C-alpha cells in the first residue's frame, strides 16, 4: 500500500471547546465519516436483503444477480424499511417496498416505479433514497460512509487483507459499548498482562507484572507504541511481591513483543496474534452510540494446501482461543466501561495513568486527522 498522508479534517473545530485537545474525537460518538468500513459478511447476504445499522445510519444490503448494493433502509413514502421488500422485476437491479410497491434502482436509489399508482405515476424519478458505494472483497462487503467521492478502496484497506495470498478467518459480532472504548482497549498497552492472565490462549505464557517506558509511536497512518523491558515480578511498597506464583514451570515469557497499531477510522492491526504467522485485524464499526460491530480478521499469507490447513486450524483453535475467549475478556471490560462514559461523564471524569499516554496520543491523532465527524443529522 502506498504510504500517503491522510487528508486533513474537513470539519470546523468547535470554537467553544478549544481547551479540549481532542474535542473532535469526543464528538465522534458515532465515528468518522468519509471512510470505507466493513459492513457485513458476504456469506450472510443471499436472496433476502439484510438491514444493518452503521454509524447511526440505517442501511439495507441487497444482492441482485450476484452483485451487492447498499441503500438507505427507509422508504421515502412512509418510512417502511426497504429490507422488507423484494425484487419484483426479474432481470432488473431494483427493490420494491413491501407496503405500496415503490420501486428503487439499486445502483443510485432513484424511484423508478410506484406499482400501486400505475405505470404513469408522477412520483417516478422525483424521489430517491441514499445509495452507498460498495465493494465485495475477501468474504466481506465493504461500504463507504460519507458524502464525497470515495477514495480508492485499495489505498484504504490494508494490503495484508487484500493480498491475493491472504487467507482470512473472520468473526463478526455485535458488541455493547461505544466504539471508542473498544478501539482504545485494542491499543491499550497495559491491560493485557493483567486482564488476559487466565485466558486459554495464554495457558503457557508467563505474563510480566508490568511493562516499562510505554511511549506512543505515531506514523502518518496509525498510532502504535514502543516499550522498554517487561518486568516479571514487582515489589509493591507496603504490600509485597506480585505475582506470588512466579515459578509456574509450564509458563514462559513471550520472546518477541507483538506490534499493535490503531488506524483511522477505527481499526487495529496486531502482528502476530493469536500465534506467530497470523496477523490480526479488528474493526470497531459504530452501530449506534452504545454498540459497535466488531470485525475480527485473522490473516495468513499462504496458498494451496496450506490455505486449507490454516482454515482448519482457525476453525478448530484460533477462532475459539483468540476471537472468542481472549478477546471476549476485552468485550466484557468494554461493556462494563460504557455506562461510565455514556451516562456518568466519563470523558471528563476519567483519571488516566502513565501508560495511557498512548491513548491520548490516539485521541489527538483522530482530532487532527479524521476526515469528518459523524453526527445524527
Ligand atoms: Fe414504501 Fe409506501 S411506505 S411504498
Ligand atoms: Fe485485551
Amino acid at each position: 500500500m502506498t504510504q500517503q498522508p491522510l487528508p486533513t479534517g474537513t470539519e470546523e473545530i468547535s470554537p467553544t471547546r478549544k481547551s479540549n485537545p481532542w474535542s473532535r474525537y469526543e464528538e465522534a460518538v458515532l465515528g468518522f465519516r468519509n471512510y470505507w468500513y466493513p459492513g457485513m459478511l458476504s456469506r450472510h447476504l443471499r436472496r433476502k436483503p439484510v438491514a444493518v445499522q452503521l454509524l447511526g445510519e440505517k442501511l439495507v444490503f441487497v444482492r441482485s444477480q450476484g452483485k451487492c448494493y447498499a441503500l438507505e433502509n427507509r422508504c421515502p413514502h412512509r418510512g417502511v424499511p426497504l429490507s422488507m421488500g423484494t425484487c419484483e422485476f426479474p432481470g432488473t437491479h431494483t427493490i420494491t417496498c413491501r407496503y405500496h410497491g415503490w420501486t428503487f434502482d439499486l445502483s443510485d436509489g432513484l424511484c423508478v416505479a410506484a406499482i400501486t399508482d400505475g405505470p404513469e405515476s408522477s412520483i417516478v424519478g422525483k424521489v430517491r433514497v441514499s445509495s452507498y458505494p460498495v465493494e465485495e472483497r475477501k468474504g466481506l462487503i465493504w461500504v463507504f460512509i460519507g458524502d464525497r467521492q470515495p477514495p480508492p478502496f485499495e489505498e484504504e484497506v490494508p494490503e495484508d487483507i487484500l493480498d491475493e495470498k491472504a487467507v482470512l478467518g473472520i468473526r463478526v459480532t455485535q458488541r455493547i459499548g461505544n466504539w471508542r472504548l473498544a478501539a482504545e482497549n485494542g491499543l491499550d498497552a497495559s491491560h493485557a498482562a493483567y486482564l488476559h492472565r487466565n485466558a486459554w490462549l495464554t495457558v503457557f505464557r508467563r505474563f510480566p507484572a508490568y511493562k516499562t517506558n510505554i511511549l506512543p509511536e505515531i506514523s502518518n497512518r496509525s498510532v502504535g507504541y514502543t516499550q522498554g523491558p517487561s518486568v516479571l515480578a514487582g515489589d509493591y511498597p507496603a504490600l509485597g511481591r506480585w505475582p506470588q506464583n512466579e515459578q509456574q514451570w509450564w509458563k514462559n515469557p513471550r520472546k518477541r513483543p507483538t506490534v499493535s497499531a490503531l488506524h483511522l477510522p477505527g481499526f487495529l492491526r496486531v502482528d502476530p496474534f493469536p500465534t506467530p504467522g497470523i496477523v490480526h485485524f479488528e474493526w470497531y464499526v459504530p452501530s449506534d452510540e452504545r454498540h459497535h460491530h466488531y470485525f475480527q480478521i485473522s490473516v495468513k499469507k499462504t496458498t494451496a494446501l496450506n490455505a486449507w490447513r490454516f482454515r482448519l486450524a482457525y476453525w478448530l483453535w484460533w477462532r475459539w482461543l483468540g476471537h472468542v475467549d481472549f478477546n471476549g475478556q476485552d468485550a466484557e471490560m468494554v461493556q462494563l466501561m460504557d455506562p461510565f462514559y455514556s451516562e456518568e461523564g466519563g470523558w471528563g471524569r476519567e483519571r488516566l495513568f502513565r501508560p495511557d499516554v498512548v491513548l491520548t496520543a490516539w485521541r489527538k491523532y483522530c482530532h487532527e486527522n479524521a476526515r469528518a465527524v459523524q453526527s445524527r443529522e
Side-chain angles (χ1 to χ4, degrees):
M1 194 189 315
T2 46
Q3 295 283 307
Q4 285 178 337
L6 288 164
T8 49
T10 53
E11 287 203 345
E12 288 290 311
I13 293 169
S14 165
T16 53
R17 306 188 62 186
K18 277 221 169 91
S19 58
N20 183 338
W22 48 77
S23 60
R24 292 181 77 230
Y25 182 75
E26 225 174 286
E27 285 158 20
V29 183
L30 289 169
F32 296 116
R33 278 178 87 68
N34 295 333
Y35 290 94
W36 284 98
Y37 287 91
M40 65 175 294
L41 279 167
S42 284
R43 65 172 185 267
H44 287 176
L45 184 62
R46 295 172 188 230
R47 282 237 201 85
K48 231 178 111 36
V50 174
V52 179
Q53 188 170 354
L54 302 173
L55 282 68
E57 299 189 14
K58 291 176 176 165
L59 278 71
V60 55
F61 287 102
V62 184
R63 192 181 291 286
S64 170
Q65 297 163 52
K67 195 167 165 4
C68 289
Y69 297 89
L71 295 180
E72 174 187 355
N73 192 19
R74 191 186 287 115
C75 178
H77 180 214
R78 305 294 302 276
V80 167
L82 291 178
S83 52
M84 302 299 293
T86 52
C87 177
E88 294 288 354
F89 299 94
T92 67
H93 296 285
T94 57
I95 189 166
T96 296
C97 177
R98 179 81 183 86
Y99 198 7
H100 311 89
W102 287 27
T103 300
F104 302 89
D105 188 318
L106 290 171
S107 61
D108 59 6
L110 192 69
C111 177
V112 290
I115 292 177
T116 56
D117 192 29
E120 311 285 300
S121 177
S122 62
I123 198 75
V124 168
K126 294 219 183 81
V127 290
R128 74 167 73 229
V129 289
S130 306
S131 66
Y132 296 82
V134 164
E135 287 272 355
E136 184 167 25
R137 298 284 282 278
K138 291 287 185 184
L140 287 164
I141 301 167
W142 306 77
V143 58
F144 179 76
I145 311 269
D147 29 39
R148 64 180 206 194
Q149 194 58 26
F153 181 75
E154 282 79 9
E155 283 175 22
E156 300 259 301
V157 173
E159 61 176 351
D160 294 301
I161 289 178
L162 297 180
D163 190 294
E164 57 179 51
K165 284 193 187 144
V167 185
L168 274 52
I170 309 173
R171 181 167 190 257
V172 186
T173 43
Q174 168 95 342
R175 297 202 314 189
I176 298 170
N178 184 259
W179 75 275
R180 292 167 299 181
L181 303 176
E184 292 183 0
N185 170 80
L187 187 62
D188 181 310
S190 57
H191 79 273
Y194 187 70
L195 178 69
H196 296 305
R197 263 168 198 265
N198 62 351
W200 286 107
L201 180 67
T202 52
V203 164
F204 300 109
R205 166 101 39 91
R206 184 166 172 196
F207 278 103
Y210 61 100
K211 296 174 177 177
T212 59
N213 209 19
I214 295 170
L215 290 171
E217 188 176 54
I218 301 163
S219 78
N220 63 355
R221 288 198 80 116
S222 64
V223 177
Y225 58 87
T226 56
Q227 61 193 57
S230 294
V231 181
L232 287 174
D235 290 306
Y236 294 84
L239 298 171
R241 197 154 177 81
W242 194 90
Q244 281 156 12
N245 58 353
E246 346 166 15
Q247 302 302 341
Q248 290 169 325
W249 57 267
W250 64 90
K251 287 182 185 276
N252 288 301
R254 190 202 283 282
K255 293 201 179 67
R256 174 171 89 87
T258 56
V259 178
S260 304
L262 192 53
H263 300 242
L264 275 167
F267 72 88
L268 184 76
R269 179 184 190 274
V270 185
D271 183 12
F273 180 87
T275 194
I278 299 178
V279 179
H280 173 82
F281 285 89
E282 50 188 51
W283 259 262
Y284 321 97
V285 184
S287 170
D288 60 20
E289 288 83 350
R290 300 191 67 173
H291 299 84
H292 59 281
H293 303 280
Y294 183 45
F295 287 80
Q296 300 186 76
I297 307 176
S298 288
V299 184
K300 174 100 178 168
K301 273 187 200 163
T302 182
T303 51
L305 194 60
N306 283 331
W308 285 104
R309 204 172 283 165
F310 166 70
R311 284 190 189 100
L312 189 66
Y314 173 75
W315 282 97
L316 283 178
W317 295 105
W318 304 125
R319 183 178 176 91
W320 316 108
L321 294 175
H323 291 184
V324 177
D325 180 60
F326 189 95
N327 285 342
Q329 296 182 322
D330 297 293
E332 193 188 352
M333 293 303 119
V334 170
Q335 178 172 347
L336 289 167
M337 266 191 286
D338 188 68
F340 177 56
Y341 285 88
S342 296
E343 297 166 15
E344 298 158 12
W347 294 103
R349 285 174 71 186
E350 61 181 7
R351 296 291 305 270
L352 302 181
F353 76 154
R354 191 163 50 174
D356 293 330
V357 65
V358 181
L359 303 189
T360 55
W362 157 251
R363 294 175 183 182
K364 284 184 211 149
Y365 175 83
C366 291
H367 174 78
E368 286 160 12
N369 294 288
R371 290 173 188 163
V373 174
Q374 173 76 328
S375 78
R376 273 285 177 190
E377 289 80 52

